[in-house]
Amino acid sequence: MEETAQSQPSQRRPKVIVLTAPGTSAPYNALDFEDHADVVWTDAEGLSGALPGAQVLFVWDFFSPALRDAWSYADSLEWVHVAAAGVDSLLFDELRESSVQVTNAHGAFDGPIAEFVLASVLAHDKQLHTSKELQRRSVWQHREVRRSAGQNALVVGTGGIGRATARLLRALGLEVRGAGRTARGEDADFGTVVPSAELAEHAGWADHLVLIAPLTEDTRGLLGADVLARMKPTAHVVNVGRGALVDEPALVQALREGQIAAASLDVFDEEPLPVEHPFWQMDNVHVSAHMSGDVVGWRNTLADQFVQNLTRWCTGEELVNQVDKQLGYVRRA
């Protein structure tokens, strides 16, 4: 029997704003947006003029805080999707207190960032950075390197990325624990989860301290002088979360004074990292340009996530990857 209009799922055709950065290419599937919505493309400067009447905002310029300044023009906004795992640059009090739903790119970066952390751990233990520098100088210098298996890794951040990292490090043979908002035992991926608020009490256990936590008021400056003072002199810090998780002056001092051995840093307080920053010239610091999750094809993955959620929204289905706006991340199921 032919399906009647009454039996078909209800459809709504919203006005969707896509916030882009100047010089940034459009999502590869941009034409698919127009199958579901009336689409307006804008940059931060034009956001205020584009927002009136819009139900959906897709933040393709994923570190942009532009919505905060344009908020008074968001008279019809129901849903914001940000093409990033972290939403700290997006959230502000008025958005938190509103009924507007926020979704993010939860899941897109789990495997890639976990692999980057694993590579950072192995590069440190196998002295690959030193080997490359010796090669540059044509110096043959035999050394003994460390086994990674059997070492301890404390992963700060127990969301999807942290869990993928824990599984990969455990597969290599490391002993892994997590640090999160709530302590618990017998966790499937971490075994034991300690409170991140008590990080200083547990940091001395770690050979590798991995920072993957979202940036919130509770986690800002989490790795500070008190935590660093309790760590092993052989310890290695990996930060693939947010730069502001770290008290950078305290980390510089700890590295210079031998409180810890090394740091592999992919994120920083100010990006790009200023040319005068001491990290650039420190032999025991390994800098990368906020790229730990950016594997080939990553932007296409982010664009696909939005279209899948837009399809759900237009048919009245529940959105996936809904962010708890008070916590600043997707709650674990």
Side-chain angles (χ1 to χ4, degrees):
M1 184 174 66
E2 186 175 346
E3 194 173 39
T4 65
Q6 287 78 11
S7 64
Q8 294 176 351
S10 60
Q11 297 274 347
R12 49 178 169 169
R13 188 173 180 84
K15 177 182 176 182
V16 172
I17 306 301
V18 183
L19 176 61
T20 65
T24 300
S25 58
Y28 85 101
N29 57 352
L31 290 178
D32 294 340
F33 299 6
E34 298 177 4
D35 290 339
H36 302 282
D38 299 321
V39 182
V40 177
W41 299 80
T42 187
D43 57 15
E45 185 176 350
L47 184 60
S48 296
L51 271 175
Q55 292 82 33
V56 180
L57 172 63
F58 177 32
V59 186
W60 185 239
D61 182 8
F62 34 79
F63 292 134
S64 174
L67 181 58
R68 182 193 307 262
D69 294 334
W71 180 249
S72 61
Y73 296 89
D75 55 3
S76 303
L77 196 61
E78 299 179 29
W79 167 38
V80 177
H81 180 88
V82 59
V87 295
D88 48 279
S89 60
L90 172 73
L91 291 177
F92 50 95
D93 288 344
E94 291 84 356
L95 176 55
R96 287 189 180 94
E97 294 164 5
S98 75
S99 62
V100 175
Q101 296 183 82
V102 174
T103 59
N104 71 350
H106 179 75
F109 299 107
D110 294 3
I113 293 180
E115 291 177 358
F116 196 94
V117 172
L118 175 62
S120 298
V121 167
L122 288 172
H124 172 73
D125 287 341
K126 307 310 176 186
Q127 300 182 29
L128 299 186
H129 303 290
T130 301
S131 292
K132 188 63 181 179
E133 174 59 22
L134 291 170
Q135 177 186 343
R136 187 186 66 80
R137 293 159 42 201
S138 303
V139 174
W140 178 274
Q141 183 185 97
H142 180 267
R143 288 116 51 223
E144 293 182 347
V145 298
R146 300 178 66 193
R147 283 292 308 272
S148 298
Q151 293 189 47
N152 299 332
L154 181 57
V155 179
V156 184
T158 58
I161 298 173
R163 291 183 176 279
T165 299
R167 292 192 292 268
L168 206 51
L169 295 179
R170 290 176 71 183
L172 185 62
L174 281 82
E175 178 73 21
V176 179
R177 294 177 186 170
R181 292 180 69 247
T182 306
R184 55 188 176 273
E186 300 182 2
D187 185 275
D189 296 313
F190 297 102
T192 298
V193 176
V194 302
S196 53
E198 300 173 6
L199 186 58
E201 297 178 24
H202 301 278
W205 175 83
D207 297 297
H208 302 274
L209 181 67
V210 183
L211 298 170
I212 308 180
L215 180 61
T216 67
E217 288 309 306
D218 291 333
T219 61
R220 187 177 298 275
L222 186 63
L223 183 63
D226 56 337
V227 176
L228 291 161
R230 304 284 287 274
M231 295 180 69
K232 298 177 182 179
T234 55
H236 169 223
V237 168
V238 181
N239 189 8
V240 290
R242 285 288 186 263
L245 296 173
V246 174
D247 179 339
E248 288 186 351
L251 180 58
V252 169
Q253 182 176 349
L255 289 160
R256 284 175 170 168
E257 295 180 357
Q259 284 184 324
I260 65 170
S264 298
L265 306 175
D266 186 56
V267 289
F268 305 90
D269 265 341
E270 182 179 349
E271 296 181 0
L273 186 65
V275 294
E276 66 275 10
H277 200 289
F279 283 153
W280 286 115
Q281 305 303 323
M282 298 175 71
D283 291 338
N284 56 352
V285 175
H286 313 301
V287 171
S288 52
H290 202 147
M291 54 188 280
S292 61
D294 298 353
V295 296
V296 174
W298 67 286
R299 290 183 180 272
N300 291 355
T301 299
L302 301 182
D304 286 338
Q305 282 186 316
F306 175 66
V307 168
Q308 290 161 11
N309 241 358
L310 180 60
T311 302
R312 297 175 69 90
W313 194 83
C314 289
T315 56
E317 295 181 68
E318 185 177 4
L319 298 174
V320 298
N321 294 348
Q322 293 188 43
V323 172
D324 183 316
K325 293 185 290 184
Q326 301 307 316
L327 296 177
Y329 52 86
V330 176
R331 281 184 179 271
R332 180 175 169 240

